[in-house]
Amino acid sequence: MDKLLIRGGRPLRGEIRISGAKNAALPELCAALLTPETMTLRNIPRLQDVATMLKLIRNMGATAEFSPDGTVVIESRELHFPEAPYEMVKTMRAAVLALGPLLARFGEATVSLPGGCAIGARPVDQHIKGLEKMGAEIVIEHGYMIAKLPKGWTRLKGANIRTDMITVTGTENFMMAAALAEGETVLENAAMEPEITDLGEMLNAMGAKVTGHGTSEIRIQGVEKLHGATHKVVSDRIECGTFLCAVAATGGDVLLKDGRAEHLEAVIDLLKAAGAEVQAVEGGIRVRSEGRLEAQSFKTTEYPGFPTDMQAQFMALNCIAEGDSKITETIFENRFMHVSELMRMGARIDVDGKVAITHGVERLSGAIVMATDLRASASLVIAGLVADGETMVDRIYHLDRGYEQMEAKLRELGADIERVK
Ligand code: EPU
Protein backbone atom coordinates (compact mmCIF):
# COMPACT_ATOMS: atom_id res chain seq x y z
CA MET A 1 0.00 0.00 0.00
CA ASP A 2 1.42 3.41 -0.97
CA LYS A 3 2.30 6.00 1.66
CA LEU A 4 3.40 9.62 1.48
CA LEU A 5 6.59 10.71 3.20
CA ILE A 6 6.65 14.43 3.93
CA ARG A 7 9.46 16.47 5.44
CA GLY A 8 7.72 19.58 6.66
CA GLY A 9 8.69 23.19 7.08
CA ARG A 10 9.07 24.43 3.51
CA PRO A 11 7.04 27.32 2.12
CA LEU A 12 5.18 26.70 -1.16
CA ARG A 13 5.98 28.86 -4.18
CA GLY A 14 5.22 28.79 -7.89
CA GLU A 15 2.22 27.83 -9.97
CA ILE A 16 0.18 24.72 -10.66
CA ARG A 17 -3.00 23.97 -12.57
CA ILE A 18 -6.20 22.92 -10.84
CA SER A 19 -7.73 19.79 -12.42
CA GLY A 20 -11.30 19.13 -13.52
CA ALA A 21 -13.73 18.50 -10.67
CA LYS A 22 -14.15 14.93 -9.49
CA ASN A 23 -17.68 15.61 -8.33
CA ALA A 24 -18.67 17.03 -11.72
CA ALA A 25 -16.84 14.39 -13.78
CA LEU A 26 -18.57 11.48 -12.02
CA PRO A 27 -22.20 12.52 -12.74
CA GLU A 28 -21.22 13.72 -16.21
CA LEU A 29 -19.71 10.34 -17.14
CA CYS A 30 -23.10 8.86 -16.16
CA ALA A 31 -25.00 11.54 -18.10
CA ALA A 32 -23.13 10.43 -21.23
CA LEU A 33 -25.23 7.25 -21.03
CA LEU A 34 -28.35 9.31 -21.83
CA THR A 35 -27.58 9.38 -25.56
CA PRO A 36 -26.61 6.74 -28.13
CA GLU A 37 -24.49 9.40 -29.87
CA THR A 38 -20.83 10.19 -29.21
CA MET A 39 -20.10 12.25 -26.10
CA THR A 40 -16.78 14.02 -25.63
CA LEU A 41 -15.86 15.16 -22.13
CA ARG A 42 -12.77 17.33 -21.68
CA ASN A 43 -10.80 18.14 -18.54
CA ILE A 44 -11.59 14.80 -16.88
CA PRO A 45 -9.19 14.32 -13.94
CA ARG A 46 -7.11 11.13 -13.79
CA LEU A 47 -8.33 9.74 -10.47
CA GLN A 48 -9.15 6.38 -8.99
CA ASP A 49 -12.86 7.27 -8.78
CA VAL A 50 -12.90 8.22 -12.46
CA ALA A 51 -11.19 4.90 -13.31
CA THR A 52 -13.88 3.07 -11.31
CA MET A 53 -16.67 4.97 -13.07
CA LEU A 54 -15.15 4.20 -16.50
CA LYS A 55 -14.89 0.54 -15.54
CA LEU A 56 -18.53 0.62 -14.50
CA ILE A 57 -19.82 2.11 -17.73
CA ARG A 58 -17.63 -0.16 -19.87
CA ASN A 59 -18.94 -3.11 -17.88
CA MET A 60 -22.44 -2.06 -18.96
CA GLY A 61 -21.42 -2.28 -22.62
CA ALA A 62 -20.46 1.32 -23.44
CA THR A 63 -17.10 2.21 -24.96
CA ALA A 64 -15.00 4.86 -23.26
CA GLU A 65 -11.60 6.09 -24.45
CA PHE A 66 -9.50 8.16 -22.05
CA SER A 67 -6.77 10.17 -23.87
CA PRO A 68 -3.66 11.48 -22.10
CA ASP A 69 -4.92 15.07 -22.55
CA GLY A 70 -7.88 14.37 -20.22
CA THR A 71 -10.51 13.82 -22.92
CA VAL A 72 -12.95 10.95 -22.57
CA VAL A 73 -15.01 9.85 -25.57
CA ILE A 74 -18.03 7.71 -24.69
CA GLU A 75 -20.42 5.79 -26.87
CA SER A 76 -23.34 3.85 -25.49
CA ARG A 77 -25.37 2.78 -28.52
CA GLU A 78 -26.95 0.02 -26.52
CA LEU A 79 -26.13 -1.40 -23.12
CA HIS A 80 -26.35 -5.14 -22.57
CA PHE A 81 -25.88 -4.90 -18.81
CA PRO A 82 -27.62 -1.84 -17.23
CA GLU A 83 -26.24 -2.66 -13.79
CA ALA A 84 -23.94 -1.24 -11.15
CA PRO A 85 -22.61 -4.24 -9.21
CA TYR A 86 -21.79 -4.18 -5.50
CA GLU A 87 -18.03 -4.59 -6.07
CA MET A 88 -17.95 -1.21 -7.81
CA VAL A 89 -20.51 0.66 -5.72
CA LYS A 90 -18.85 -0.33 -2.45
CA THR A 91 -15.62 1.37 -3.50
CA MET A 92 -17.38 4.44 -4.91
CA ARG A 93 -20.80 5.56 -3.74
CA ALA A 94 -21.13 7.90 -6.72
CA ALA A 95 -22.02 4.80 -8.78
CA VAL A 96 -25.56 5.46 -7.54
CA LEU A 97 -25.55 8.19 -10.19
CA ALA A 98 -26.08 5.49 -12.81
CA LEU A 99 -29.63 4.93 -11.53
CA GLY A 100 -31.32 8.01 -13.05
CA PRO A 101 -29.76 7.86 -16.54
CA LEU A 102 -30.18 4.08 -16.96
CA LEU A 103 -33.79 4.19 -15.92
CA ALA A 104 -34.55 7.17 -18.14
CA ARG A 105 -32.93 5.78 -21.27
CA PHE A 106 -33.42 2.02 -20.97
CA GLY A 107 -36.44 1.81 -18.67
CA GLU A 108 -34.57 -0.42 -16.24
CA ALA A 109 -31.63 -0.28 -13.86
CA THR A 110 -30.11 -2.49 -11.20
CA VAL A 111 -27.82 -0.62 -8.84
CA SER A 112 -26.30 -1.94 -5.66
CA LEU A 113 -27.19 -0.12 -2.44
CA PRO A 114 -23.97 1.55 -1.33
CA GLY A 115 -23.99 0.46 2.32
CA GLY A 116 -22.16 2.35 5.08
CA CYS A 117 -19.47 4.94 4.59
CA ALA A 118 -16.60 6.16 6.77
CA ILE A 119 -18.02 9.70 7.07
CA GLY A 120 -21.67 8.85 7.82
CA ALA A 121 -24.60 6.54 7.06
CA ARG A 122 -25.33 8.28 3.76
CA PRO A 123 -28.62 6.60 2.81
CA VAL A 124 -30.10 6.96 -0.70
CA ASP A 125 -33.77 7.02 0.36
CA GLN A 126 -34.29 10.43 -1.26
CA HIS A 127 -33.01 9.19 -4.63
CA ILE A 128 -35.51 6.33 -4.47
CA LYS A 129 -38.46 8.48 -3.36
CA GLY A 130 -37.83 11.08 -6.05
CA LEU A 131 -37.56 8.56 -8.88
CA GLU A 132 -40.71 6.84 -7.58
CA LYS A 133 -42.50 10.18 -7.91
CA MET A 134 -41.56 10.07 -11.57
CA GLY A 135 -43.27 6.69 -11.84
CA ALA A 136 -40.34 4.32 -11.32
CA GLU A 137 -41.07 1.03 -9.59
CA ILE A 138 -38.17 0.26 -7.30
CA VAL A 139 -37.72 -2.78 -5.11
CA ILE A 140 -34.80 -3.67 -2.88
CA GLU A 141 -33.66 -7.24 -3.32
CA HIS A 142 -30.43 -8.95 -2.31
CA GLY A 143 -28.83 -5.58 -1.56
CA TYR A 144 -29.76 -4.11 -4.94
CA MET A 145 -32.18 -1.39 -6.04
CA ILE A 146 -34.04 -2.90 -8.96
CA ALA A 147 -35.85 -0.17 -10.85
CA LYS A 148 -38.15 -0.33 -13.85
CA LEU A 149 -40.97 1.50 -15.54
CA PRO A 150 -44.60 0.46 -14.95
CA LYS A 151 -46.09 -1.88 -17.58
CA GLY A 152 -46.93 -0.07 -20.79
CA TRP A 153 -44.78 2.98 -20.01
CA THR A 154 -41.92 3.93 -22.32
CA ARG A 155 -40.67 6.96 -20.38
CA LEU A 156 -40.60 8.31 -16.85
CA LYS A 157 -43.11 11.09 -16.15
CA GLY A 158 -42.16 14.58 -15.00
CA ALA A 159 -43.01 15.32 -11.35
CA ASN A 160 -42.65 17.84 -8.56
CA ILE A 161 -39.91 16.63 -6.27
CA ARG A 162 -39.09 18.22 -2.96
CA THR A 163 -36.42 16.31 -1.02
CA ASP A 164 -36.39 16.29 2.79
CA MET A 165 -32.84 17.64 2.78
CA ILE A 166 -30.59 19.10 0.11
CA THR A 167 -28.79 16.28 -1.68
CA VAL A 168 -26.13 16.80 -4.33
CA THR A 169 -26.12 13.42 -6.09
CA GLY A 170 -29.89 13.14 -5.52
CA THR A 171 -30.44 16.40 -7.44
CA GLU A 172 -28.11 15.10 -10.17
CA ASN A 173 -29.95 11.79 -10.48
CA PHE A 174 -33.28 13.63 -10.84
CA MET A 175 -31.90 16.07 -13.43
CA MET A 176 -30.59 13.22 -15.58
CA ALA A 177 -33.77 11.15 -15.24
CA ALA A 178 -36.01 14.17 -15.94
CA ALA A 179 -34.07 15.15 -19.06
CA LEU A 180 -35.66 12.21 -20.95
CA ALA A 181 -38.98 12.08 -19.03
CA GLU A 182 -42.37 13.01 -20.42
CA GLY A 183 -43.40 16.51 -19.34
CA GLU A 184 -41.94 18.88 -16.80
CA THR A 185 -40.06 18.09 -13.59
CA VAL A 186 -39.64 20.70 -10.89
CA LEU A 187 -36.93 20.12 -8.30
CA GLU A 188 -37.49 22.14 -5.14
CA ASN A 189 -34.88 22.34 -2.40
CA ALA A 190 -32.34 21.47 -5.11
CA ALA A 191 -28.61 21.53 -4.46
CA MET A 192 -26.88 24.62 -5.89
CA GLU A 193 -23.26 23.42 -6.07
CA PRO A 194 -21.21 24.52 -9.13
CA GLU A 195 -21.08 20.83 -10.13
CA ILE A 196 -24.89 20.90 -10.49
CA THR A 197 -24.67 24.00 -12.69
CA ASP A 198 -22.02 22.28 -14.79
CA LEU A 199 -24.18 19.16 -15.21
CA GLY A 200 -27.13 21.36 -16.26
CA GLU A 201 -24.93 22.98 -18.90
CA MET A 202 -23.78 19.62 -20.19
CA LEU A 203 -27.36 18.33 -20.42
CA ASN A 204 -28.43 21.46 -22.30
CA ALA A 205 -25.53 21.00 -24.74
CA MET A 206 -27.01 17.53 -25.38
CA GLY A 207 -30.39 19.07 -26.22
CA ALA A 208 -32.05 18.94 -22.77
CA LYS A 209 -34.20 21.78 -21.48
CA VAL A 210 -32.91 22.57 -18.02
CA THR A 211 -33.39 25.96 -16.36
CA GLY A 212 -32.71 27.24 -12.85
CA HIS A 213 -29.60 25.05 -12.32
CA GLY A 214 -27.49 26.85 -9.73
CA THR A 215 -30.64 27.94 -7.83
CA SER A 216 -32.80 25.98 -5.38
CA GLU A 217 -35.52 25.41 -7.98
CA ILE A 218 -34.57 23.56 -11.14
CA ARG A 219 -37.04 22.99 -13.97
CA ILE A 220 -36.52 20.31 -16.57
CA GLN A 221 -38.75 20.01 -19.61
CA GLY A 222 -38.29 16.42 -20.76
CA VAL A 223 -37.34 15.68 -24.38
CA GLU A 224 -37.60 12.43 -26.32
CA LYS A 225 -33.97 12.17 -27.30
CA LEU A 226 -30.64 13.70 -26.38
CA HIS A 227 -27.79 14.03 -28.85
CA GLY A 228 -24.00 13.86 -28.71
CA ALA A 229 -22.06 16.92 -27.52
CA THR A 230 -18.72 18.14 -26.21
CA HIS A 231 -18.42 19.47 -22.68
CA LYS A 232 -15.53 20.73 -20.55
CA VAL A 233 -15.68 19.76 -16.88
CA VAL A 234 -15.60 22.71 -14.44
CA SER A 235 -12.43 23.09 -12.35
CA ASP A 236 -12.27 21.38 -8.97
CA ARG A 237 -13.11 23.88 -6.25
CA ILE A 238 -12.21 21.42 -3.48
CA GLU A 239 -8.78 20.65 -4.92
CA CYS A 240 -8.31 24.41 -5.29
CA GLY A 241 -9.46 25.07 -1.70
CA THR A 242 -7.12 22.36 -0.44
CA PHE A 243 -4.11 24.05 -2.08
CA LEU A 244 -5.28 27.44 -0.76
CA CYS A 245 -5.25 26.03 2.78
CA ALA A 246 -1.89 24.33 2.22
CA VAL A 247 -0.24 27.59 1.12
CA ALA A 248 -1.95 29.58 3.86
CA ALA A 249 -0.61 27.10 6.42
CA THR A 250 2.98 26.72 5.14
CA GLY A 251 3.41 30.30 3.95
CA GLY A 252 4.51 31.20 0.44
CA ASP A 253 3.13 32.58 -2.80
CA VAL A 254 1.28 30.41 -5.32
CA LEU A 255 -0.80 30.89 -8.45
CA LEU A 256 -3.55 28.29 -8.84
CA LYS A 257 -4.28 28.35 -12.56
CA ASP A 258 -7.89 27.64 -13.52
CA GLY A 259 -9.01 28.07 -9.90
CA ARG A 260 -12.43 29.75 -9.72
CA ALA A 261 -12.64 32.21 -6.82
CA GLU A 262 -16.39 32.67 -7.33
CA HIS A 263 -16.90 29.00 -6.40
CA LEU A 264 -14.96 29.31 -3.15
CA GLU A 265 -16.22 32.50 -1.57
CA ALA A 266 -16.94 31.03 1.86
CA VAL A 267 -13.46 29.48 2.09
CA ILE A 268 -11.65 32.52 0.69
CA ASP A 269 -13.44 34.93 3.04
CA LEU A 270 -12.30 32.84 5.98
CA LEU A 271 -8.71 32.56 4.71
CA LYS A 272 -8.58 36.33 4.37
CA ALA A 273 -9.98 36.78 7.88
CA ALA A 274 -7.23 34.41 9.07
CA GLY A 275 -4.61 36.73 7.53
CA ALA A 276 -3.79 35.13 4.17
CA GLU A 277 -3.88 37.20 0.99
CA VAL A 278 -6.15 35.62 -1.61
CA GLN A 279 -6.87 37.31 -4.90
CA ALA A 280 -8.82 36.38 -7.99
CA VAL A 281 -6.46 37.06 -10.90
CA GLU A 282 -6.85 36.48 -14.61
CA GLY A 283 -7.05 32.74 -15.20
CA GLY A 284 -6.86 31.71 -11.57
CA ILE A 285 -6.33 32.54 -7.91
CA ARG A 286 -3.17 33.85 -6.23
CA VAL A 287 -2.57 33.09 -2.57
CA ARG A 288 0.14 34.55 -0.36
CA SER A 289 0.76 34.01 3.29
CA GLU A 290 3.45 34.72 5.84
CA GLY A 291 3.66 34.46 9.57
CA ARG A 292 1.16 32.80 11.83
CA LEU A 293 -2.53 33.03 10.90
CA GLU A 294 -5.49 33.49 13.22
CA ALA A 295 -7.82 30.54 13.78
CA GLN A 296 -11.34 30.93 12.33
CA SER A 297 -14.62 29.38 13.45
CA PHE A 298 -17.02 28.03 10.83
CA LYS A 299 -19.94 25.76 10.22
CA THR A 300 -20.28 23.49 7.18
CA THR A 301 -23.43 23.94 5.11
CA GLU A 302 -24.62 23.31 1.59
CA TYR A 303 -23.34 25.57 -1.22
CA PRO A 304 -22.79 28.51 -1.14
CA GLY A 305 -21.90 27.93 2.53
CA PHE A 306 -18.64 26.49 3.79
CA PRO A 307 -18.23 23.04 2.13
CA THR A 308 -18.03 19.92 4.26
CA ASP A 309 -15.39 18.75 1.78
CA MET A 310 -13.10 21.56 3.05
CA GLN A 311 -13.69 21.10 6.78
CA ALA A 312 -10.75 18.76 7.49
CA GLN A 313 -8.25 20.85 5.52
CA PHE A 314 -9.26 24.11 7.24
CA MET A 315 -9.09 22.37 10.59
CA ALA A 316 -5.44 21.45 9.92
CA LEU A 317 -4.79 25.15 9.32
CA ASN A 318 -6.60 26.18 12.51
CA CYS A 319 -4.52 23.70 14.53
CA ILE A 320 -1.33 25.71 14.02
CA ALA A 321 -2.99 29.15 13.94
CA GLU A 322 -3.21 31.54 16.85
CA GLY A 323 -6.21 31.18 19.13
CA ASP A 324 -9.19 28.83 19.35
CA SER A 325 -11.79 27.95 16.74
CA LYS A 326 -15.17 26.27 16.80
CA ILE A 327 -15.88 24.00 13.83
CA THR A 328 -19.40 22.65 13.40
CA GLU A 329 -20.04 19.84 10.90
CA THR A 330 -23.70 19.82 9.88
CA ILE A 331 -23.70 17.64 6.73
CA PHE A 332 -22.21 14.31 7.82
CA GLU A 333 -22.42 12.74 11.27
CA ASN A 334 -18.94 11.19 11.41
CA ARG A 335 -16.57 13.52 9.64
CA PHE A 336 -14.02 14.19 12.39
CA MET A 337 -11.89 11.09 11.97
CA HIS A 338 -8.84 13.19 11.12
CA VAL A 339 -8.99 14.71 14.63
CA SER A 340 -7.26 11.87 16.46
CA GLU A 341 -4.58 11.68 13.76
CA LEU A 342 -3.96 15.45 13.95
CA MET A 343 -3.71 15.10 17.73
CA ARG A 344 -0.98 12.48 17.27
CA MET A 345 0.95 15.29 15.56
CA GLY A 346 0.52 17.57 18.56
CA ALA A 347 -2.74 19.35 17.68
CA ARG A 348 -5.06 20.24 20.57
CA ILE A 349 -8.69 19.54 19.65
CA ASP A 350 -11.79 18.76 21.72
CA VAL A 351 -14.72 17.08 20.01
CA ASP A 352 -18.26 17.05 21.31
CA GLY A 353 -20.73 15.54 18.84
CA LYS A 354 -20.77 17.65 15.73
CA VAL A 355 -18.55 20.39 17.21
CA ALA A 356 -14.75 20.43 17.30
CA ILE A 357 -12.84 23.10 19.21
CA THR A 358 -9.24 23.64 18.15
CA HIS A 359 -6.70 25.33 20.43
CA GLY A 360 -3.89 26.58 18.22
CA VAL A 361 -0.37 25.34 18.95
CA GLU A 362 2.85 26.87 17.63
CA ARG A 363 4.15 23.73 16.00
CA LEU A 364 3.07 20.26 14.97
CA SER A 365 5.51 17.40 15.00
CA GLY A 366 5.82 14.80 12.27
CA ALA A 367 4.40 11.33 12.96
CA ILE A 368 3.06 8.24 11.24
CA VAL A 369 -0.62 8.91 10.61
CA MET A 370 -3.40 7.07 8.89
CA ALA A 371 -5.74 8.48 6.26
CA THR A 372 -9.37 7.51 6.88
CA ASP A 373 -11.18 9.18 4.00
CA LEU A 374 -10.43 11.41 1.06
CA ARG A 375 -10.57 14.87 2.64
CA ALA A 376 -9.15 13.63 5.96
CA SER A 377 -6.09 12.49 3.98
CA ALA A 378 -5.69 15.96 2.53
CA SER A 379 -5.78 17.51 6.00
CA LEU A 380 -3.00 15.16 7.16
CA VAL A 381 -0.90 16.15 4.15
CA ILE A 382 -1.34 19.84 5.08
CA ALA A 383 -0.39 19.06 8.68
CA GLY A 384 2.68 17.15 7.42
CA LEU A 385 3.75 20.10 5.28
CA VAL A 386 3.92 22.40 8.32
CA ALA A 387 5.11 19.88 10.92
CA ASP A 388 8.67 19.52 12.19
CA GLY A 389 10.45 16.44 10.93
CA GLU A 390 8.98 13.55 8.98
CA THR A 391 5.34 12.66 8.55
CA MET A 392 4.30 9.40 6.96
CA VAL A 393 0.69 9.37 5.73
CA ASP A 394 -0.50 5.80 5.40
CA ARG A 395 -3.43 4.49 3.31
CA ILE A 396 -3.24 7.19 0.68
CA TYR A 397 -5.44 5.21 -1.68
CA HIS A 398 -8.10 7.50 -0.21
CA LEU A 399 -6.18 10.52 -1.53
CA ASP A 400 -5.74 8.91 -4.96
CA ARG A 401 -9.51 8.59 -5.26
CA GLY A 402 -9.98 12.33 -5.49
CA TYR A 403 -6.73 14.31 -6.00
CA GLU A 404 -4.90 14.22 -9.32
CA GLN A 405 -1.15 14.06 -8.85
CA MET A 406 -1.24 15.73 -5.46
CA GLU A 407 2.32 14.95 -4.48
CA ALA A 408 3.69 15.91 -7.92
CA LYS A 409 1.89 19.27 -7.71
CA LEU A 410 3.16 19.89 -4.18
CA ARG A 411 6.71 18.97 -5.23
CA GLU A 412 6.47 21.44 -8.07
CA LEU A 413 5.71 24.09 -5.44
CA GLY A 414 8.82 23.14 -3.45
CA ALA A 415 7.43 20.69 -0.92
CA ASP A 416 9.60 17.79 0.21
CA ILE A 417 7.15 14.96 -0.39
CA GLU A 418 7.52 11.53 -1.93
CA ARG A 419 5.42 8.44 -2.53
CA VAL A 420 6.76 5.35 -0.83
CA LYS A 421 5.59 2.02 -2.20
N1 EPU B 1 -28.95 12.08 2.56
C1 EPU B 1 -29.95 11.25 2.98
N2 EPU B 1 -30.67 10.55 2.04
C2 EPU B 1 -30.40 10.64 0.71
C3 EPU B 1 -29.37 11.50 0.28
C4 EPU B 1 -28.65 12.20 1.23
O1 EPU B 1 -30.21 11.13 4.19
O2 EPU B 1 -31.09 9.97 -0.07
C5 EPU B 1 -28.16 12.85 3.54
C6 EPU B 1 -26.69 12.39 3.62
O3 EPU B 1 -26.56 11.27 4.47
C7 EPU B 1 -26.00 13.63 4.12
C8 EPU B 1 -26.79 14.77 3.46
O4 EPU B 1 -28.05 14.19 3.10
O5 EPU B 1 -26.11 13.71 5.52
C9 EPU B 1 -26.17 15.37 2.23
O6 EPU B 1 -25.71 14.34 1.38
P1 EPU B 1 -25.62 14.49 -0.21
O7 EPU B 1 -26.58 13.56 -0.83
O8 EPU B 1 -25.66 15.92 -0.61
O9 EPU B 1 -24.14 13.92 -0.47
P2 EPU B 1 -23.69 13.11 -1.74
O10 EPU B 1 -24.45 13.57 -2.91
O11 EPU B 1 -23.71 11.65 -1.42
C10 EPU B 1 -21.81 14.73 -2.56
C11 EPU B 1 -20.34 14.65 -2.82
C12 EPU B 1 -19.61 14.53 -1.51
C13 EPU B 1 -19.93 15.76 -0.66
C14 EPU B 1 -21.47 15.88 -0.47
C15 EPU B 1 -21.89 17.13 0.27
C16 EPU B 1 -20.27 13.60 -5.00
C17 EPU B 1 -19.93 12.42 -5.82
N3 EPU B 1 -20.08 13.51 -3.67
O12 EPU B 1 -22.18 13.52 -1.89
O13 EPU B 1 -18.22 14.53 -1.80
O14 EPU B 1 -19.32 15.69 0.60
O15 EPU B 1 -22.11 15.87 -1.77
O16 EPU B 1 -21.44 18.26 -0.37
O17 EPU B 1 -20.66 14.63 -5.53
C18 EPU B 1 -15.93 14.09 -1.42
O18 EPU B 1 -15.72 14.50 -2.58
O19 EPU B 1 -15.02 13.88 -0.59
C19 EPU B 1 -17.31 13.85 -1.01
C20 EPU B 1 -17.63 13.09 0.03
Side-chain angles (χ1 to χ4, degrees):
M1 227 181 286
D2 291 6
K3 307 175 200 307
L4 281 180
L5 176 63
I6 307 166
R7 293 178 194 89
R10 293 195 181 191
L12 299 175
R13 292 184 199 286
E15 53 180 65
I16 50 164
R17 195 185 81 85
I18 298 301
S19 302
K22 165 180 87 80
N23 289 347
L26 296 176
E28 290 170 359
L29 289 169
C30 289
L33 300 176
L34 286 165
T35 175
E37 296 181 17
T38 306
M39 283 301 310
T40 304
L41 293 173
R42 299 198 196 285
N43 205 27
I44 295 276
R46 228 163 244 285
L47 305 170
Q48 193 50 48
D49 273 7
V50 165
T52 307
M53 190 60 95
L54 289 173
K55 192 168 158 195
L56 178 71
I57 64 182
R58 286 183 188 127
N59 193 51
M60 292 175 186
T63 61
E65 295 288 330
F66 200 166
S67 314
D69 69 351
T71 302
V72 174
V73 177
I74 298 178
E75 268 177 31
S76 60
R77 291 196 195 292
E78 49 194 83
L79 294 187
H80 54 75
F81 189 66
E83 284 196 29
Y86 177 64
E87 295 68 50
M88 291 176 196
V89 182
K90 78 171 182 209
T91 57
M92 186 192 60
R93 306 178 55 82
V96 75
L97 286 163
L99 188 61
L102 288 181
L103 192 55
R105 180 156 160 232
F106 300 98
E108 55 171 337
T110 301
V111 176
S112 170
L113 277 168
C117 171
I119 61 177
R122 305 183 75 183
V124 289
D125 56 308
Q126 302 296 313
H127 298 237
I128 296 176
K129 272 195 221 164
L131 292 170
E132 281 175 344
K133 277 204 112 180
M134 299 176 77
E137 291 177 347
I138 305 179
V139 292
I140 310 285
E141 262 174 30
H142 310 298
Y144 280 79
M145 297 179 274
I146 302 172
K148 57 181 173 52
L149 297 183
K151 258 207 168 66
W153 287 36
T154 52
R155 294 163 73 190
L156 289 166
K157 281 202 177 35
N160 260 52
I161 302 173
R162 188 185 171 85
T163 43
D164 300 339
M165 76 288 291
I166 299 174
T167 156
V168 175
T169 48
T171 302
E172 291 164 347
N173 246 333
F174 304 145
M175 288 167 78
M176 294 187 281
L180 284 180
E182 205 181 309
E184 189 181 54
T185 298
V186 181
L187 305 178
E188 292 174 49
N189 207 23
M192 301 192 283
E193 272 67 2
E195 294 75 26
I196 301 269
T197 309
D198 203 54
L199 174 65
E201 282 167 15
M202 169 175 166
L203 291 171
N204 284 343
M206 297 167 73
K209 294 189 173 146
V210 183
T211 54
H213 40 307
T215 76
S216 62
E217 187 176 295
I218 303 177
R219 283 174 186 267
I220 304 118
Q221 194 69 48
V223 296
E224 262 181 59
K225 273 201 174 84
L226 293 172
H227 54 72
T230 297
H231 175 75
K232 182 178 173 204
V233 177
V234 66
S235 96
D236 195 318
R237 66 194 164 97
I238 305 299
E239 185 198 17
C240 187
T242 302
F243 279 103
L244 287 175
C245 284
V247 179
T250 59
D253 184 350
V254 169
L255 173 66
L256 299 169
K257 287 187 285 182
D258 289 352
R260 302 269 298 260
E262 71 275 26
H263 293 165
L264 274 164
E265 274 178 17
V267 176
I268 291 176
D269 286 351
L270 225 52
L271 284 170
K272 284 183 176 166
E277 254 182 78
V278 188
Q279 229 182 332
V281 293
E282 199 174 327
I285 305 177
R286 184 169 177 195
V287 52
R288 276 175 288 188
S289 157
E290 56 185 64
R292 200 166 170 214
L293 300 185
E294 265 176 55
Q296 300 297 314
S297 296
F298 63 90
K299 187 175 178 172
T300 65
T301 54
E302 296 85 356
Y303 191 84
F306 192 98
T308 174
D309 290 347
M310 282 300 305
Q311 178 255 107
Q313 302 90 312
F314 212 104
M315 183 187 291
L317 177 74
N318 275 346
C319 286
I320 48 126
E322 210 168 307
D324 297 348
S325 78
K326 178 178 173 187
I327 299 177
T328 312
E329 171 60 53
T330 73
I331 307 292
F332 293 111
E333 60 276 20
N334 192 28
R335 216 176 193 182
F336 281 144
M337 278 175 308
H338 40 287
V339 165
S340 44
E341 299 300 303
L342 290 170
M343 288 174 74
R344 297 193 55 252
M345 298 177 73
R348 288 181 52 220
I349 310 166
D350 300 313
V351 174
D352 184 7
K354 56 184 189 174
V355 175
I357 308 280
T358 65
H359 311 282
V361 294
E362 273 184 37
R363 50 178 285 274
L364 293 176
S365 65
I368 299 176
V369 287
M370 187 119 74
T372 47
D373 74 73
L374 171 56
R375 309 303 171 185
S377 323
S379 84
L380 298 177
V381 170
I382 294 174
L385 291 171
V386 294
D388 292 347
E390 283 188 0
T391 295
M392 179 79 89
V393 185
D394 201 351
R395 298 204 178 163
I396 54 156
Y397 56 85
H398 291 293
L399 201 71
D400 294 335
R401 288 187 49 195
Y403 287 94
E404 188 176 49
Q405 302 264 339
M406 187 186 236
E407 81 265 20
K409 288 184 182 181
L410 283 169
R411 245 196 328 269
E412 209 165 310
L413 298 177
D416 186 343
I417 179 169
E418 62 184 295
R419 184 175 286 251
V420 185
K421 294 276 175 192

